[in-house]
């Protein structure tokens, strides 16, 4: 164990940590693809105060936002296999649930967590769009689906985009907890590399740098996309 930083190890482990980026991005993309439509639909149930669904969304948001992500990971990772095992045993399905790739549990945990965040994001952003615009769209013969797709959603995105960006960045950072699922993402790969020589300071610096690069790039891409939606800002205002 050296007194100062081992720069050779720092450089080598940087690329080891970088090799975990595809897993982190895959979890992020899949989770967002699930969470965006779910969050939008559940936000509508809250705005329109649909019985049962509105109450479910409230409890769901409170539970997810009120508990640490790591606790949610342990609950899902330990309870889902037991539930699946009981179901498979009941119906005679010969599948070993303990051989299921842990990335599937990551998809479940992070999509459910992100959905709760996006419910509140969409609820506040949809509320900024005047109800008169939906009525005007209906008066010219547009269906509700067409009105939302052409008028409501583009304006909602303009307002919601900064918060969606924040949710995406937070999701990327949360994937660092994938080590609890034994996923070979950025954090676990760097930690494994550090175990042999105890160069944990260098390993964590590499993790810090890799996440900083990814999150900065994502924020830049969101800013570029936000500029493309500026034509809807006047209407959203």
């Amino acid at each position: 164990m050296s007194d100062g930083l081992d720069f050779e190890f720092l450089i080598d482990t940087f690329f080891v940590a970088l090799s975990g980026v595809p897993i982190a991005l895959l979890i992020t993309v899949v989770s967002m693809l699930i969470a965006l439509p779910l969050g939008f639909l559940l936000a509508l149930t809250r705005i329109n105060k649909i019985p049962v669904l509105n109450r479910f969304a409230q409890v769901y948001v409170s539970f997810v936002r009120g508990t640490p992500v790591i606790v949610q990971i342990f609950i899902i990772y330990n309870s889902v296999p037991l539930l699946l095992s009981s179901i498979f045993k009941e119906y005679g399905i010969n599948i070993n649930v303990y051989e299921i790739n842990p990335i599937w549990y990551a998809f479940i945990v992070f999509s459910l967590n992100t959905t709760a965040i996006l419910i509140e994001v969409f609820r506040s952003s949809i509320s900024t769009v005047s109800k008169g615009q939906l009525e005007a769209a209906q008066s010219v013969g547009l269906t509700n689906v067409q009105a939302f797709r052409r008028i409501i959603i583009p304006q909602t995105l303009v307002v919601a985009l900064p918060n969606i960006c924040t949710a995406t960045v937070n999701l990327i950072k949360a994937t660092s907890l994938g080590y609890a699922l034994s996923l070979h993402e950025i954090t676990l790969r760097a930690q494994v590399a550090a175990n042999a020589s105890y160069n944990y300071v260098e390993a964590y610096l590499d993790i810090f740098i890799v996440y900083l690069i990814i999150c900065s790039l994502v924020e830049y891409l969101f800013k570029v996309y936000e500029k493309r939606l500026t034509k809807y800002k006047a209407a959203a205002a």
Side-chain angles (χ1 to χ4, degrees), residues 1-208:
M1 190 172 177
S2 60
D3 296 329
L5 287 178
D6 185 339
F7 287 100
E8 183 179 351
F9 179 87
L10 185 73
I11 295 170
D12 291 341
T13 306
F14 171 79
F15 292 102
V16 172
L18 203 63
S19 68
V21 170
I23 295 293
L25 292 182
L26 177 62
I27 295 171
T28 302
V29 171
V30 172
S31 299
M32 288 302 292
L33 288 175
I34 296 171
L36 282 167
L38 274 179
F40 186 81
L41 291 174
L42 288 173
L44 290 177
T45 66
R46 295 211 60 190
I47 291 172
N48 296 310
K49 300 191 182 300
I50 298 174
V52 182
L53 289 177
N54 177 37
R55 184 60 182 165
F56 166 77
Q58 285 180 315
V59 173
Y60 172 64
V61 170
S62 298
F63 173 77
V64 173
R65 294 177 68 179
T67 56
V69 179
I70 191 68
V71 174
Q72 297 167 23
I73 288 174
F74 288 138
I75 290 174
I76 297 293
Y77 196 39
N78 289 284
S79 61
V80 170
L82 292 175
L83 178 62
L84 289 177
S85 182
S86 299
I87 294 172
F88 292 164
K89 186 177 180 181
E90 178 71 22
Y91 292 96
I93 302 173
N94 188 23
I95 296 177
N96 187 352
V97 296
Y98 299 102
E99 292 181 354
I100 295 175
N101 193 317
I103 198 168
W104 292 103
Y105 299 112
F107 293 153
I108 294 171
V109 173
F110 292 115
S111 60
L112 290 177
N113 184 272
T114 308
T115 296
I117 296 170
L118 293 181
I119 288 172
E120 293 305 298
V121 169
F122 285 127
R123 187 169 72 92
S124 60
S125 58
I126 292 172
S127 299
T128 63
V129 181
S130 171
K131 291 182 179 180
Q133 294 193 46
L134 179 59
E135 294 171 356
Q138 291 170 337
S139 68
V140 297
L142 293 180
T143 64
N144 284 342
V145 173
Q146 290 173 326
F148 268 93
R149 183 169 60 86
R150 298 179 183 180
I151 300 171
I152 307 299
I153 292 178
Q155 295 182 55
T156 299
L157 280 177
V158 173
V159 180
L161 208 58
N163 288 326
I164 293 175
C165 175
T166 301
T168 304
V169 170
N170 288 337
L171 174 57
I172 293 171
K173 291 186 290 186
T175 61
S176 63
L177 298 173
Y179 73 87
L181 297 167
S182 301
L183 283 175
H184 289 274
E185 40 67 62
I186 299 166
T187 303
L188 185 58
R189 286 176 186 262
Q191 286 179 335
V192 170
N195 286 340
S197 54
Y198 298 98
N199 294 98
Y200 291 108
V201 173
E202 291 88 343
Y204 289 125
L205 277 173
D206 285 324
I207 294 168
F208 171 84

